Amino acid sequence: MAGLVSPDWLETHLGDPRLVIIEVSRDQPGTAPWFRRHIPGSHYVWWKDFCWDESERQFPPSDVMAARLGGFGVGDDSTIVLVGDPIQFATYPYWVLAMTGFEHLAVVLDGGRETWESQGRAFTDSPSAPPTPDLPSPRGPIADARVGRDQVLEGLGDPARALVDVRSAEEYNGERVSPLTLEFDHGAERKGHIPGAVHLLYERLLDSEGTFLDPASLVQEFVHAGVEPEKEIVTYCRLSHRASLAWFALTRIADRPNVRVYDGSWTEWGSMVGMPIERLPEDPPRNR
């Protein structure tokens, strides 16, 4: 299973100078759990600072990503262990690294911080040693891992493509824009889903411990959702973190080709003029 390492593997390799452990958090400095305690030797980064261009809502060019990685001490002989807080905040930067040419250096810790903690593994509150700056070299980026809004719009109704919405049921049905885990419901102007999209909650791709299902079970979850394996698959969510988890599961664990992430996801689609949407249940009749 390319790109995935177990908590056992990481625990036995703690202290390896070639490992660069980066906890990618949804929380900004001061509120992130990493600052209370963390995996020994790991470094913290807020996901936007790591994954996005400073001025554009997309991943940075390869030279910028190289500089960011080098700031953590990543060189050409390093292994980057991405620790998600939660897990999809590791698969998202892995996807970004694939598109910027650094996938060959990266692995995802299965289960992320949550599983590591629930299994009672090592934590520390001691500061990690400052890294020695380096500069890794990119290889060929994975150009087919991403799809844009125009391509999604053009492909609506295409029987060869399956759109898979991996958000929560309340988001897919049009009850909310963001999941119930977020108190403030925000992220787009409209509620609903892209026409023709099937629903598959991303958590169904994980087991009770928060680690990925085996390859056959992953494929079966998509089949149960109504996705035929031979189709082109486009995954999306709200900000594309959960969509990247589904992409990682299919392509890097189940070894399935022809899977792409619509990284604009619902924050873009739900706010764009002229983009069609569907809602479940149906909107109530309006008073005339």
Side-chain angles (χ1 to χ4, degrees):
M1 292 184 285
L4 189 69
V5 297
S6 69
D8 284 342
W9 182 92
L10 179 56
E11 192 166 55
T12 60
H13 287 82
L14 287 178
D16 184 338
R18 294 169 298 178
L19 287 191
V20 179
I21 307 170
I22 303 176
E23 182 167 313
V24 186
S25 178
R26 65 182 166 193
D27 297 318
Q28 297 188 47
T31 60
W34 184 92
F35 290 92
R36 296 193 295 273
R37 61 180 195 153
H38 49 267
I39 297 174
S42 65
H43 305 283
Y44 158 87
V45 69
W46 186 43
W47 71 272
K48 285 186 180 180
D49 288 342
F50 190 54
C51 298
W52 277 8
D53 183 271
E54 291 183 356
S55 61
E56 298 183 16
R57 188 235 186 265
Q58 65 172 345
F59 55 87
S62 293
D63 60 336
V64 173
M65 181 54 75
R68 291 180 185 178
L69 293 172
F72 288 104
V74 176
D76 288 334
D77 63 345
S78 298
T79 296
I80 308 162
V81 182
L82 297 166
V83 180
D85 180 27
I87 179 61
Q88 61 266 31
F89 284 79
T91 56
Y92 182 78
Y94 185 97
W95 176 71
V96 170
L97 291 177
M99 291 187 296
T100 53
F102 297 99
E103 181 182 9
H104 62 287
L105 299 177
V107 294
V108 168
L109 175 64
D110 202 3
R113 179 188 175 96
E114 182 178 355
T115 298
W116 183 272
E117 188 168 22
S118 69
Q119 293 178 350
R121 297 181 185 268
F123 274 103
T124 182
D125 58 5
S126 300
S128 299
T132 301
D134 206 331
L135 191 66
S137 304
R139 294 183 182 174
I142 308 298
D144 62 352
R146 182 193 196 201
V147 64
R149 61 179 181 266
D150 292 339
Q151 294 167 292
V152 174
L153 184 62
E154 291 168 3
L156 292 183
D158 184 347
R161 172 183 286 180
L163 272 173
V164 183
D165 186 323
V166 298
R167 297 176 298 166
S168 63
E170 60 268 15
E171 293 170 275
Y172 177 81
N173 293 343
E175 301 164 37
R176 287 176 60 92
V177 170
S178 59
L180 287 168
T181 52
L182 298 182
E183 182 177 356
F184 177 46
D185 189 20
H186 70 289
E189 291 298 317
R190 299 181 297 167
K191 303 172 184 177
H193 59 264
I194 299 175
V198 300
H199 182 236
L200 173 59
L201 179 63
Y202 78 100
E203 290 175 332
R204 293 191 62 86
L205 307 179
L206 306 172
D207 63 19
S208 60
E209 286 199 341
T211 56
F212 282 99
L213 300 177
D214 64 83
S217 297
L218 287 171
V219 173
Q220 277 303 306
E221 288 296 334
F222 281 85
V223 171
H224 290 159
V227 179
E228 298 172 17
E230 67 275 8
K231 287 190 175 184
E232 175 197 4
I233 296 174
V234 173
T235 65
Y236 77 93
C237 56
R238 187 176 71 109
L239 276 166
S240 73
H241 303 109
R242 292 170 285 180
S244 72
L245 185 146
W247 170 85
F248 183 89
L250 279 178
T251 63
R252 297 317 185 250
I253 299 177
D255 197 27
R256 293 291 170 132
N258 208 18
V259 183
R260 295 189 285 176
V261 174
Y262 168 36
D263 62 331
S265 280
W266 195 254
T267 55
E268 179 177 62
W269 192 276
S271 296
M272 288 285 292
V273 174
M275 294 298 187
I277 65 170
E278 291 179 343
R279 294 182 65 178
L280 295 175
E282 294 291 333
D283 294 332
R286 297 179 180 178
N287 293 329
R288 296 185 182 273

